[in-house]
Amino acid sequence: MASSWSQQGLKGTTEVVADTATLALHVLTCAGFGESYSFGEGVSKVAPGHEMTYRDSLSLCLTNIITFAIIPKRYLSLSFLPTKLRKLGQAVHEFQQYMEEMLARERKLGAKRKSDTPNLMSALVRASDEDIQAKEIGQTSKLGLTDEEIFGNIFAYNLAGHETTANTVAYALVLLAAYPEYQGWVREEIKRVQDESTGGYDSNFPRLQRCLAIMVSLDPFHHAKHSLYQFETLRLYGSIVFIPRAASLESQKLANQDGNDIVLPPSTSVTLNVQALHTDPKTWGADSLSWRPTRWFVESRSETPSGDNATSQTFISPPKGSFIPWADGPRVCPGQKFAQVEFVAALATLLENYRVKPVLEAGQSEEAGKNALLGMVNDSAIFAITLQMNQPRKVALVCEHIP
């Protein structure tokens, strides 16, 4: 992706959102279906026997998820329907066909696939086949999945992991272009980790803490029972703006910040305003509306055995319940860690050798270019179920290779 952008030269690219969507979808197809593609191929090209790309068919389904959920798919191809609905019907058909082809290909590979390269589809197929084999010998099993259930799981996997992570990467890149000082800050860490790395996830991921601060930080890193993830990009531009919840069949008592109890009647619907929580000045300070990744660090100084002064940075943890980009509690998003690793890998790979900056119009100052980028990200709205920029092509970004 970065190489493709850098080839655009000084005219830059206006396809940041579209391209990060392609990147995220390639990650999903690799982890989910064991299919790897180069950036310009795969999901962005029309496959034989299709009229739409995998990316476009999925995008249309996700963008119209409410309509898709209300109108049965068999009605979406009726000739008297508006063009928009018939186009959605075509996208649903195309996506279903792609899924069927992936399932058939996975079943054909079967035992040929290496055991050390599992993916979501192979796990679902294996569970389904084991159920079929159990029934053939007269045993009962509740673990098996029908093909329709497999397709449902695949769609949910794409729904939860595609636009959410893609949008976060896009927002982060635009914000980094607006605040170039943070690019150098992150790149400094990337270089240090690269120089000291022994290779692999265990060596690199936990140490890319500045990359994590752009999106995520974890404190303390190696003690899961105390873990709490924080995101600066997701704090201000999280994909999910509201989280619906409901009380159980019995009344529930909640304690607010003032120490007073609030009693929710049985089955009461509650909508959590995530944006309000994430920008509350009581928690985040007077600059709660500003994008400042360093807010997640507290700097401390100590004296080394040799008598020199050493500076260290420690992640902070906001009060419980004040930061919930993936919800919280037993129903927290199961794809949380997957998205974190994907984001950090993408950011570290790009910023290691490239820098991003806005394309300035004739006579436009750097400050004006920065304000144009901030205006673009602040001009956002909810599309279907996620927060997205209204005009993501308004300002182009240049991606420069660093010698």
Side-chain angles (χ1 to χ4, degrees), residues 74 136 205 365:
R74 64 179 180 275
E136 288 176 349
F205 179 72
S365 66

Side-chain angles (χ1 to χ4, degrees), residues 159-391:
L159 172 65
H162 180 221
E163 285 190 347
T164 49
T165 305
N167 288 343
T168 304
V169 174
Y171 273 110
L173 290 175
V174 174
L175 289 164
L176 283 165
Y179 297 97
E181 63 271 22
Y182 286 116
Q183 295 187 54
W185 179 68
V186 171
R187 189 175 299 109
E188 179 183 82
E189 177 185 70
I190 294 171
K191 295 296 186 184
R192 184 176 67 251
V193 171
Q194 288 263 350
D195 292 341
E196 300 172 358
S197 173
T198 57
Y201 166 87
D202 291 336
S203 170
N204 295 342
F205 179 72
R207 299 170 61 207
L208 290 168
Q209 297 183 0
R210 293 180 183 178
C211 287
L212 290 169
I214 300 297
M215 177 196 183
V216 51
S217 60
L218 171 62
D219 178 31
F221 218 100
H222 295 290
H223 300 281
K225 66 180 181 179
H226 299 299
S227 67
L228 179 62
Y229 293 90
Q230 297 109 18
F231 303 71
E232 184 65 356
T233 298
L234 285 180
R235 186 181 69 82
L236 290 176
Y237 305 101
S239 294
I240 304 302
V241 179
F242 299 103
I243 299 177
R245 286 290 183 264
S248 64
L249 298 178
E250 299 180 358
S251 61
Q252 291 181 266
K253 185 183 291 186
L254 303 177
N256 65 15
Q257 292 181 344
D258 299 326
N260 300 318
D261 290 338
I262 299 173
V263 178
L264 298 179
S267 303
T268 300
S269 295
V270 178
T271 300
L272 305 179
N273 188 333
V274 178
Q275 290 296 90
L277 280 173
H278 291 180
T279 56
D280 186 354
K282 293 179 181 178
T283 302
W284 307 102
D287 67 343
S288 62
L289 296 178
S290 299
W291 188 79
R292 182 169 60 84
T294 51
R295 75 172 68 247
W296 299 103
F297 293 94
V298 172
E299 194 169 276
S300 59
R301 296 180 181 278
S302 60
E303 187 172 311
T304 65
S306 61
D308 297 327
N309 289 324
T311 301
S312 61
Q313 292 181 326
T314 305
F315 285 118
I316 65 168
S317 298
K320 182 173 175 58
S322 64
F323 185 76
I324 54 171
W326 279 306
D328 201 2
R331 294 191 178 182
V332 68
C333 175
Q336 177 174 312
K337 189 59 174 291
F338 184 95
Q340 294 162 6
V341 175
E342 178 183 348
F343 179 94
V344 170
L347 201 65
T349 301
L350 189 146
L351 292 184
E352 179 187 4
N353 296 307
Y354 296 89
R355 66 168 65 94
V356 289
K357 63 181 184 180
V359 173
L360 301 178
E361 298 178 0
Q364 188 179 38
S365 66
E366 291 186 0
E367 185 66 21
K370 171 183 177 178
N371 291 334
L373 290 174
L374 295 180
M376 187 168 73
V377 296
N378 288 329
D379 179 20
S380 297
I382 300 173
F383 287 82
I385 59 174
T386 59
L387 185 72
Q388 299 180 35
M389 291 178 242
N390 280 317
Q391 301 182 70

Side-chain angles (χ1 to χ4, degrees), residues 42-54 56 94 98:
V43 298
S44 58
K45 286 192 174 183
V46 179
H50 289 266
E51 296 180 8
M52 299 176 70
T53 66
Y54 181 84
D56 292 343
E94 290 277 337
Y98 274 114

